[in-house]
């Protein structure tokens, strides 16, 4: 092959290989960007869910603590006090995170009282409906003086 033809072929091959890779960066960007955004939003949703779960659990535990302490002295009044404590915890820790909480006082069974909370949480994905559920119960505190049963 003459030198002239060889140079021409070499230039054509180099130009073709340079042109073949020129659009790959744009294609990779278009394909990987949605995956990256999904991973970021999934991480945010994961954090929202677990923080809301911790807020609901803390509120249930605080309400149950109040119910345990007051159920013996006030047979019916402990429900209102426990509800106030639960509402206060939710207002302080996550009013925009624990949405429309459904708070139920657990019926006393064998000197046991408790609180159960079910609530929705905000989502970053449209159409996704997540709820958290927390329950805390324990025995009613009863102080007995020395010598009593």
């Amino acid at each position: 092959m003459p030198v002239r033809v060889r140079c021409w072929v070499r230039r054509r091959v180099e130009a073709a290989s340079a042109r073949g890779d020129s659009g790959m960066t744009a294609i990779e960007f278009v394909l990987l960007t949605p995956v990256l955004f999904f991973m970021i939003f999934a991480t945010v949703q994961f954090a929202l869910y677990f923080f809301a779960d911790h807020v609901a659990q803390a509120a249930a535990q605080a309400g149950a603590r109040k119910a345990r302490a007051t159920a013996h002295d006030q047979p019916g009044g402990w429900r209102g006090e426990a509800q106030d404590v639960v509402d206060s915890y939710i207002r302080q820790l996550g009013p925009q995170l624990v949405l429309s909480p459904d708070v139920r006082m657990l019926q006393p069974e064998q000197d046991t009282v408790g609180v159960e909370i079910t609530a929705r949480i905000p989502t970053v994905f449209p159409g996704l409906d997540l709820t958290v559920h927390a329950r805390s119960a324990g025995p009613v505190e009863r102080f007995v003086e020395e010598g009593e049963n």
Side-chain angles (χ1 to χ4, degrees):
M1 234 196 249
V3 174
R4 197 173 206 185
V5 172
R6 249 188 247 147
C7 289
W8 181 80
V9 169
R10 183 179 298 138
R11 275 184 281 158
R12 296 289 291 173
V13 168
E14 288 172 358
S17 67
R19 260 186 317 201
D21 290 344
S22 66
M24 285 306 292
T25 303
I27 291 172
E28 289 172 354
F29 181 75
V30 166
L31 293 176
L32 293 179
T33 300
V35 173
L36 179 66
F37 277 117
F38 176 78
M39 288 173 45
I40 290 169
F41 287 137
T43 303
V44 169
Q45 186 64 63
F46 180 79
L48 284 173
Y49 179 82
F50 279 99
F51 185 58
D53 187 53
H54 285 268
V55 168
Q57 190 64 42
Q61 288 173 351
R65 226 179 356 260
K66 186 65 169 180
R68 290 176 56 208
T70 58
H72 191 273
D73 298 334
Q74 304 169 1
W78 65 270
R79 295 173 192 276
E81 290 187 28
Q83 178 75 43
D84 291 342
V85 169
V86 168
D87 292 341
S88 173
Y89 258 72
I90 291 174
R91 266 195 317 274
Q92 289 175 8
L93 296 176
Q96 300 298 319
L97 190 60
V98 178
L99 306 174
S100 60
D102 177 29
V103 180
R104 290 185 33 232
M105 300 301 149
L106 301 176
Q107 295 296 328
E109 296 175 7
Q110 299 177 346
D111 292 330
T112 301
V113 293
V115 175
E116 188 174 38
I117 300 172
T118 303
R120 291 183 312 105
I121 64 167
T123 59
V124 294
F125 297 110
L128 186 63
D129 187 29
L130 295 174
T131 59
V132 292
H133 180 80
R135 179 185 175 136
S136 182
V140 174
E141 293 180 6
R142 189 174 137 226
F143 298 101
V144 179
E145 291 189 28
E146 192 174 331
E148 291 184 26
N149 286 339

